[in-house]
Structures are given as structure tokens and as C-alpha cells.
Amino acid sequence: MNAAFGFLALVLHLGLMLAAAPILIGAIRKLKARLLARTGPPIIQPWRDLAKLAQKQPVLAENASWLFSAAPAAAFAATLAAAALVPSFALGMTTAPASDLLVIGGLLALARVILALAGMDVGTAFGGIGSSREMMYASFAEPALVLVIFTLALLAGGTNLDAIAGLLVGGSQGLRVSLALALLAILALALVENGRIPIDNPATHLELTMVHEAMVLEYSGRHLALIEAAAALKLLVWLGLIAAIFAPFGIAPAGAPPVAWLIGLGAWVGKIAVLGVALSAFETSIAKMRVFRVPEFLGIAILFAMLAVVFLFVSQGFA
Amino acid sequence: MTALFLPAMAALVSALLALAVASAVAADANRAHLAAMGSLGICGLGVILSTGFLLTGGQADGLTIGVGLPGMPLHLVLDGLSGAFLVLLMLAGVAASAAALDDHGAYRATAPFFPAFIAGMALTLLAGDGFALLLGFEVMSIASFALVLTDHRTPEVRSAALLYIGVATVGAVCLVAALGLLSFGGDFSFAVIRAHPPEGWRATAIMVLTLIGAGSKAGLVPLHVWLPPAHAAAPGHVSALMSGAMTKIALYVLIRLMFDLCGPGQPIWWGAPLVILGAVGAVLGGLRANMEADIKTVLASSTVEHIGLIAVGLGVALAARSADLTGLAALAFGGALLHAMAHALFKSLLFLAAGATQHAAGTRRLDRLGGLIARMPKTTVMVLIGAAGLSALPPTGGFAGEWSLMQAVIAAPRIGGLGWQILMCVAAAMMALAAALAASAAVRLIGVAWLGRPRSPRAAGATDPGRPMLAALAGLAGLSIAVGLFPGAVLGLLAPAIGFATGAGPGAHAGAFMIAAQTDQPGYAAPAIAVVLGLAGAAVFFAIRRWTVAGERRAPAWDCGFGAPPAWLPFGDPATQYGGASFAQPLRRALGTSLMAAREKVDMPDPGDLRPASLTVTLADPSAAYLFAPSGRLRDRLAEYADRMQLLTIRSTLAVMFIALLVFLIAIAGLQHL
């Protein structure tokens, strides 16, 4: 029975993630527009864009290889696999035993590397500049991510996300300085990984100021639809990850009846909404930074994460 | 039955040595073919034998051969640890020999050294006493030195080989001293040494000497400087063996001396030097892999990175074993072995592919390659598989190895006090940085050399290599995928080695489908992740078929509106692509300026001046700048002093000799009282 529930929860979870990801992008855009006193496009505009792009044939560069055509689907699949591992409304999904935080980080890295390779495939300067900068950001983001995972593993005794969320939802750990520091670090990471302001600007029209968008500049048609859907899904995965770790309340525990899922769903929507509003407000109030300031920004994230670990060492007297 | 494995392996070593002699006296035309074909067969047998040995439980077995120094017969021993490394060596040997069949007549001069090289490595693994170990190690050094010199007419190759043999000599001297300190009452056999493990200052001295002696060969910082040029200078199949196998043989010597012969009674801090050197090496190697301009130097720098990661695992295992945390020691040691195995496979694959590319495109320089994905399609697929392992992306063997190593570091804080805990925290951050740098280096390597448009006519005319090379590449790629999908099974195969070094029982951390940090917890389920990825891919594929319009159109690249190049600049256009130096720029500015003293000099002509502008980038490995350069100057100064002795008068010369004799006698007298 539990196995059947777990599988049902997984299917519903994936459906929810896929449906909600473009809506989240639309909602953030709408809110940012309202904050700037513009009307903004409707919230379902990203879905309309995807539907329109899906009906357009891609225009490939003359020397584009099979890798260029296969990359959007592969990157989307890797992001989808990561999404299957991050719980939203219920713990104990079929994928729960495999939902290791390092694996989730690895799957997101896989998607990033695939797109970075595709950026180099046509051999244009914009693709190269985007790929090289994306990989530099990743180099500084990875240590911060691993240190956040280190903190959580010290608290929960393992790196399994499902187990960590299950433990933290019990509240036995209480409020901890380490968790607060780790939260700061992971928020900075989420901004970098998703190419949000102040790191990168997904909405700019000046290619030189872009990183992620420069990397995928040559894409069009259904390929572009997949890439945009993957980017939206990745943002939702990151927000879901933050919610599952740092605000796990309300989530249905493993083996709970489907009624508890409704509470979990409500809580999840609320958490994502709060994070989305915070993201919109933050993006509206800050300017984009220079490319070579980003390592410093991430250096602060690494510092916070390292402080989180060291605080744990000192406070728990781990020995 | 089990007693047959060691004599059979010893026979294989002798067969390899005989093959070396046979190919040396063979006719010029047949030499390379004979050496490659023979090594292929012998290494194939070796794979079967060593795998069989591990599968039947890896019971230790000894053998004494009446050759060697007077009064000192050679002891050979085959146990779980040497068995595990033999599997690795023989697999790399099979692939390298198959690739050597595709030789285009270039390897003829040094072909006899190839089987001798493998024989030396195998003898090192089978050694049961200090002399056999040194003999094997030195045969390996000298044979590989000769193989590096295959293309000896190029000055860079000669200087790389000289640097290599110099560092190898320093390492050998340290190993001799370490084994001398280990010996008990003049007996060098491991069984005797094991019964009388060293203590106090002697143990510390042995550790330092081993770190220098074996670490220099493995490519541990700060003695890694020789490795990128030497591995790059050798022919492809030799570099594959050097990076894939020889570095691991050096690690085996390190494990044999520090884990086995020094005994489990050493203090916890023994793990710290390995962790520190490993973490620093991982970051430096990863960063350097992003800066180098030659595909094989990039790969060799990444070897420094991966050896660093393995060394961190070994350090944690050593400390955990001293703290009686057997489970954690087994996790760390298993991770190190698993990563060593995965690295041996994917790095051999990448070096063989680099060799094939060099032959096909006539160059190893990133700024002369490009667009090979359309011209060498089969090779490119193999390279992508290898590079995924190098970047530690799931579900490859590289990810499984780094996952276990990271789990070990995350669990390691309970070994020691606050100092050790902070070291673990910093090591975890540096390992993550190294892994991300490796991914960046892989994107740069493939993006510049295999994707894009060809940057030279030779690259535009490249084709896939011949069948033996493709078979070797495909075999290594298949094994890499298998290790990635079933890391638990590989750990099961390596269980005798893990048990031998850490005392842990088999199967503590691995089922067939899952490797776990703790026995009662979920871990990394590689097949499950592969299935999830596969299902996601299938779902995306069918969604595309169902909901999107099919077909595509071809047009010139958009490139933000840049037009096609003029007809009189057919090869001016490829130069506008992002190259290796341009891809490296963000990391060079962010990390290179501080860690590798990277400097950019822009020479911009004044307006009206017609000379071309230029950008010069200089890099210096900190170890080369702060260790190798000063020691070179010291050597010159000492040579100057020694020179003066030749100008002494006869009386002073006699006095010097007399004093030297006196000092020698006093030293002997002093040592006998010790």
C-alpha cells in the first residue's frame, strides 16, 4: 500500500512540478512588473510562449552537430530527474531512497555541463563567453553547496534529502545559527544557479550582459522551448529544495494518507509563493553586478557555509 | 586452485620480460607489432587471473624465487591489495596494448620498453620484500623514461623526460631510505617488517620519505610538476598507461608502506599530510587543467587533480583506522579504490583518444583543433563518455568514486578534535571546487577541440582511427559505464583489498545496486539514478514527438547578427571562435592570478602604428616557482663548490680524502652503536 501511495505521490509531484514551473516564472514576472508599476504579461504567458515555440521548427546553424540538437532534451531530462528527487508535498515518494543531496547537485551539474557544451558547439563567441562564465560560476558555487550539505549531514547524520526533511520537520533540531547561515548560503547559490539578478539577467536584451542566455543564444523553436522549460523547472527545484530543508513544516510524512497531501500541497504552495515574492522584491531592489564580482559574492556564500559547519563543530563538541 | 594464482602471475611477469627481450632482438619491422600483440595476450590473461583471484576471496599467498642479491632470494606475495591493483593494471594494459597495435610505425624504436614497463609495474605489485619492490619500481621508472623519449627529436620531449627522470631519481632515493628504515635486522621481507612495525621518529621519517618517494611518482603536490609535461610527451598508449596505471602503482606503494608495513598503531595525525597534500593537489591540478593549451597536458593536469582526491580518501582512511573507526576507514578506502579504478578506465580512454586525435589532426594544440565531432564521430562519443567520468557527473564511475570520497570526508569529523574537523570542512570545500574545476576543464577541452569548427586544415581532414584503437576505446568506454552503473559490484570485487587495508568485513557499504555511507541508511543508488534519467529522457523524447512540430531548418549561425567571413579569409573565421585561452579567461582572472601567478600583458600599438596587437598570458605553477626553481639554483651553486675541488693542490686533495675516510669510519662506528 505504501509503495502504491509512494508511486502515486511521485506521479502527482512530477505533474505538479511540470505544470507549476512556467506559472512560477510568470508569477515572478508579473509581480516584478507590478512592483515597477507596469501591468506586465499575464501569469500564464510562459506557458503560451512554450506552446508557441513548440510549434516552430528550430533553425540550426550550418555546422551544428547532433550534440547541439540533443542537448536541450538531455538537459531537460537531467533537470526532470533532479525534480523527481526533491519532495514537494509529501515525503516517502518512490524516489525517496535515492534522493541524495549530492546526487541532486550532480544531476543539476549534468544539465549545466550539457548546455555549456552545446554553447560551444556552433563556435560563436557568444556561446563561448556564456559557457565559460557559467562554468566559472559553477566552480565557485559547488564548494558552497557541498558545505551546506556538510552542515545538514552533520545535523541529520546523512545526506538523504528525504531523511533530512523528515528529521527537520520534527523540529528536534530547533532554531540553529548554523541553519540560518546555511540558508543564507543556499539563497545566494539559488540566485547564481538560476541566473537571477544580481548575477545574471534573464530578461536583458543586451547579449554581452548575459551569461545563461548568451550560452543558449543559437537556440530556437522547440529546442528553445525545452531550454526555457528546463530553466523554469530548475528554479522551482531550487525553491522546492530550500523549502524542503529550511521550512519542512506541513509536508506529508512518509506513509501518510492522501488527505495529508492536501495540507502538504497547501503548505508547499505557500512556501514557494513566499520565496517567489522574496525573489521578486530582491530582484527589483538590486542592480546587476559585474561578472568578476560574482566570485566575491559566492566567496561570501562559501564563507557563510563554512561558518555554519564550524559553528556546529564548536557547539556540539563533535568528537 | 588458489595457490596457482601467484605462480601464474609470476610467470606472466617473466613472459613480459621475455617479450621485451624478444622484441628488442626482433627485426625492425615486426618489433612494435610483436611487443603490442604479446602484451595484449599476456595482459588479457592477467585480467582473468587477477579477477579470478579476487573473486575466490583473495587469500594471501607467498612465493620465494632464488634470484636476486646474493643471500637474498626474491619474495613474491599476492594478497587482496596487490590483486585489486593488478586488475586495474592489467585492464589498462590490455587497452594500451590494443591501441599500440594501431601504431603507424611511430613507436618502433622504444617498443621493447613497453612490455618491460608493464612487467615492472606488475613486479612492484607482486613484491614481497623491499628489494623486489624497488626493482619493480625502478624497472617501471626507467622503461617509462625510455617510452617518454619515443619522440626524442623534439626538444620539449627531451626536457620533459629529463625532468621526469630527475624527480624519479629523487623519489627512488627516498624509497630506498624508507625501506632501509623499515627493515628489521637486515631483513627486508614484508612478513618480517609487518611483525616489527616502526615507531617514534623512525615511523615519522618513513612516512615523510614515502610521501616524497611514492608521492612524486603518483603526482602528489608539490612534486607533481614533472607529470603534465611527461605524460603529454609520451605516445598516446604510453600516456594512458602512465596516467591510468603508473600513478596508481605509486599509490599502491604508498598504501603498502603506510597502511600495511607501518602497522595500524600509528597516530591519527598521520592522515593529515595526505589530506592536505591531496586537497591542495586536487585544486591546483583542476585549475591547471583549465589553463593548459595542449589536450594531453590538460588530461595530465586532471590526473594530478584526481590523484589528489584519492589521496584525501587515503588520508581519511588512515586516520579513521588509527581511531578504530573501521567502518569509516572502509568507506574512505573503498571510495579511494573505486575512484582509482574509475579514473584508470576513463583517463586511459581519454589519453588513447588524445593520441588518436594527435595522429589524425597532426596536433595536440587546442588552438589548432576543432570540429572533430563531425570528422571523428566514433572517437567523440567515447571522449564524451570519458569526460563525463572526469567531470564526476552522475551516473558515471567518477561520480560514484567522488560520492564515496565526499561521504567519507563528511563523516570524518568524528575522528578527531577541532583542528581535524576544520581540516575536513576545508577539504570538502576544496574537493568540491576541484570537481567543479574538472567539469569546467572537460567542457573547455571538448568544446574547443571536438566541437565548433576546425581551426586548421589538418583538423578539417581528421578521421576516426583504425579498428584496434576503436576497439580499445569502446572497451574502456563500456567498462567505464559498467563501473558507473554498478559501483557496488566493483566495491564487492575490491572487498579483499579493503578488508586487507582496513580490517573491515566485506559488503559493509555496498550492495549490488547501492553504495551507502552507513549500513542502515540509503546511499547512492546508481542504477536507480540511471533508470530515472532514462525514463525522464524517454518521457521528453515522446513529449517532443507528440506535442512539437517535427523537422528543422539549416541557416548560417545567428551569432547576434555577425555576418559570414569574407571569401578571402577561409581560415580567419575559425579563429573568431572561443578558443582555449579565451575559455580559460574567467577562471584565470578569478583564481589564476592568486594561485598560479597568471599575468596578462596586452601590447596595444599606438594609433597609426601598423604592427599587430598582442596578448601574452604567463602562468607559473607555484611548486615550480617556489620549489623546483630554488632547488635548481641550489644544485648549480653546489656544483660550483664541487668544481673547486678539481683545482686543489695534491696535498689538499689527499687531506680531503683522508678526512672523508675518517668521517665515514666514524659514521659507521656511530651507526653500529645505534
Side-chain angles (χ1 to χ4, degrees), chain B residues 457-486:
Chain B
R458 279 293 294 275
T463 51
D464 266 326
R467 215 166 274 164
M469 177 67 98
L470 275 181
L473 291 177
L476 285 170
L479 281 172
S480 295
I481 292 173
V483 170
L485 289 184
F486 301 103

Side-chain angles (χ1 to χ4, degrees), chain B residues 585-610:
Chain B
Q585 186 237 29
L587 275 172
R588 193 171 59 227
R589 288 204 182 156
L591 279 175
T593 41
S594 48
L595 293 183
M596 290 191 62
R599 298 286 175 272
E600 291 174 14
K601 207 173 129 246
V602 181
D603 177 28
M604 187 61 75
D606 295 325
D609 194 346
L610 291 181

Side-chain angles (χ1 to χ4, degrees), chain B residues 38 59 143 171 184 217 240 247 282 322 354 382 394 408 445 459 518 538 547 571 673:
Chain B
Q59 287 300 314
F184 182 81
K217 190 66 113 221
T247 52
S322 299
M382 316 293 182
L445 177 70
Q518 285 159 38
W547 286 308
F571 275 91
H673 280 283

Side-chain angles (χ1 to χ4, degrees), chain A residues 23-259:
Chain A
I23 306 263
L24 173 68
I25 298 286
I28 289 175
R29 279 190 198 153
K30 181 81 178 176
L31 190 58
K32 279 175 73 176
R34 297 301 301 161
L35 285 171
L36 295 170
R38 290 189 284 115
T39 314
I43 285 179
I44 59 158
Q45 188 62 41
W47 261 121
R48 290 186 185 156
D49 290 345
L50 290 181
K52 180 189 73 186
L53 284 171
Q55 294 309 315
K56 284 184 180 290
Q57 282 189 344
V59 181
L60 294 184
E62 273 143 3
N63 64 325
S65 69
W66 60 264
L67 191 138
F68 187 80
S69 308
F76 186 85
T79 316
L80 187 59
L85 300 181
V86 179
S88 57
F89 58 85
L91 296 176
M93 295 189 298
T94 311
T95 46
S99 69
D100 188 274
L101 279 171
L102 291 169
V103 174
I104 295 169
L107 286 171
L108 292 173
L110 177 64
R112 176 172 58 226
V113 164
I114 291 171
L115 282 186
L117 279 179
M120 299 290 289
D121 185 58
V122 178
T124 58
F126 287 109
I129 203 170
S131 297
S132 66
R133 289 179 174 182
E134 182 99 345
M135 293 317 287
M136 174 189 70
Y137 291 174
S139 302
F140 289 94
E142 213 89 322
L145 178 63
V146 161
L147 286 173
V148 170
I149 296 174
F150 203 137
T151 313
L152 296 168
L154 286 178
L155 277 173
T159 54
N160 187 284
L161 175 58
D162 218 63
I164 292 172
L167 196 80
L168 293 179
V169 77
S172 60
Q173 299 295 325
L175 282 174
R176 283 186 167 275
V177 183
S178 287
L179 276 181
L181 288 168
L183 176 63
L184 283 176
I186 208 170
L187 286 174
L189 270 178
L191 289 177
V192 175
E193 291 280 325
N194 290 291
R196 310 299 303 190
I197 296 173
I199 311 305
D200 190 4
N201 188 351
T204 178
H205 291 279
L206 191 61
E207 292 85 351
L208 271 178
T209 61
M210 307 190 296
V211 177
H212 182 84
E213 303 295 318
M215 188 167 77
V216 299
L217 187 69
E218 294 294 326
Y219 277 111
S220 54
R222 62 168 189 271
H223 291 157
L224 187 60
L226 274 171
I227 285 175
E228 297 211 329
L233 188 59
K234 186 172 161 193
L235 179 63
L236 190 59
V237 167
W238 268 98
L239 295 190
L241 190 67
I242 295 171
I245 297 170
F246 295 95
F249 49 79
I251 196 164
V259 185

